[in-house]
Amino acid sequence: MGCDRNCGLIVGAVIGAFLAVLGGILMPVGDMLIQKTIKKEAVLEEGTIAFKNWVKTDTEVYRQFWIFDVQNPEEVAVNSSRIKVKQRGPYTYR
């Protein structure tokens, strides 16, 4: 007992409408749950996951800085000469 073309179109339309209604309901509910979780866990208060990760990370975190020293500032200011710079660094901090 098969389903003809009209039956298939009706079944497809009903399933599509059901999924559209379900998505329309779940999108705001899911968004609300995500916002609630973010407000609860992203705050740096003792007892939250964010606080635990902020106090002690699992990996070492390093910052690197490069400083460029202008070697000819007077010539640049007076004659608009080409800038000569010397790279200092990287300075690495944990």
Side-chain angles (χ1 to χ4, degrees):
M1 182 169 162
C3 189
D4 63 353
R5 182 177 174 166
N6 287 337
C7 177
L9 289 175
I10 292 172
V11 169
V14 169
I15 290 174
F18 173 74
L19 291 176
V21 169
L22 185 65
I25 292 171
L26 290 180
M27 283 176 56
V29 171
D31 197 33
M32 181 187 66
L33 290 174
I34 291 170
Q35 290 293 329
K36 183 179 173 184
T37 304
I38 289 172
K39 286 181 182 178
K40 178 182 168 193
E41 291 296 332
V43 178
L44 286 176
E45 290 180 350
E46 201 165 336
T48 62
I49 295 171
F51 184 79
K52 291 176 190 172
N53 291 334
W54 182 68
V55 170
K56 179 158 176 32
T57 59
D58 291 336
T59 60
E60 301 272 332
V61 177
Y62 293 96
R63 280 281 179 196
Q64 289 187 331
F65 296 95
W66 287 265
I67 298 173
F68 295 92
D69 183 23
V70 178
Q71 300 293 310
N72 59 344
E74 294 86 14
E75 295 165 10
V76 172
V78 174
N79 301 331
S80 299
S81 299
R82 189 171 182 176
I83 298 175
K84 295 179 185 173
V85 294
K86 185 172 184 182
Q87 179 180 330
R88 308 286 183 175
Y91 299 103
T92 305
Y93 299 94
R94 189 172 72 124

